[in-house]
Amino acid sequence: MEKEKKVVIATHGELAKGLVSALKIIVGDVADIQTVCGYTTPDFDLDQTIQSIMNQHDFNQYELVVCTDMMGGSVNNGFVKYLGQYPFHLVTNTNLAFLVDLLLTPGCINAQVLTSKVSDDLVSVKYVNGVVNSTDDLDDL
C-alpha cells in the first residue's frame, strides 16, 4: 500500500506561513501541510516542537517530508538530530518552486523521488540576468 504524504515546512520566523499562503494561491488545498515558525515567541522550544510533530505523526500511514529553510541553520539542524530516531525525509534550502512540485506529485514520496526533485534544474536558484543574457527568446523563460 502506498503511503500518502504529509509535509512540514519549518523556518526561521514567519517564512513558513508565507510559503503556505503562496501555495494556496498556486495549488489550492494544502490541508496536509503543517508549519513551524521558529523563534517568533520568547518561549519557542524547537526540540519540544519537533518531538510533538514526531509523536503525533502516523508513520505507518503517511510519509513525512520536513522542508526547512536553510542548510546549517538551527531549524534544519534541530531536525537533523531526529533523523536516526524517526523515518522521515528532510529537505533544506526549500523554495516555492520545490514545494509546488512536491505537492503536485501524485503517489508515493521516497528517497529516490526526493533526490530527483532536489536536483531538478526547474527548482534550483537562478541568477536571472545570466539566463536572460544567454537566451535569445525571453518567452522561453
Side-chain angles (χ1 to χ4, degrees), residues 131-141:
V131 174
V132 168
N133 290 339
S134 67
T135 303
D136 293 332
D137 186 3
L138 294 182
D139 291 334
D140 289 341
L141 294 179

Side-chain angles (χ1 to χ4, degrees), residues 67-118:
C67 302
T68 64
D69 56 356
M70 188 171 63
M71 183 71 158
S74 58
V75 174
N76 187 71
N77 289 346
F79 279 94
V80 167
K81 295 187 297 188
Y82 290 83
L83 281 174
Q85 299 174 42
Y86 297 95
F88 70 100
H89 306 280
L90 181 60
V91 177
T92 195
N93 296 340
T94 301
N95 61 39
L96 184 59
F98 170 79
L99 290 168
V100 167
D101 186 34
L102 177 65
L103 293 176
L104 293 179
T105 299
C108 185
I109 294 294
N110 56 38
Q112 183 180 2
V113 170
L114 286 170
T115 299
S116 173
K117 289 191 173 307
V118 300

Side-chain angles (χ1 to χ4, degrees), residues 30-71:
V30 291
D32 288 336
I33 295 182
Q34 179 178 350
T35 59
V36 173
C37 296
Y39 310 106
T40 59
T41 62
D43 61 337
F44 177 75
D45 184 322
L46 182 61
D47 282 324
Q48 183 179 21
T49 301
I50 295 170
Q51 192 62 63
S52 176
I53 290 167
M54 298 303 165
N55 290 342
Q56 293 173 17
H57 185 75
D58 181 354
F59 289 97
N60 293 320
Q61 187 172 354
Y62 297 97
E63 289 289 339
L64 178 61
V65 182
V66 177
C67 302
T68 64
D69 56 356
M70 188 171 63
M71 183 71 158

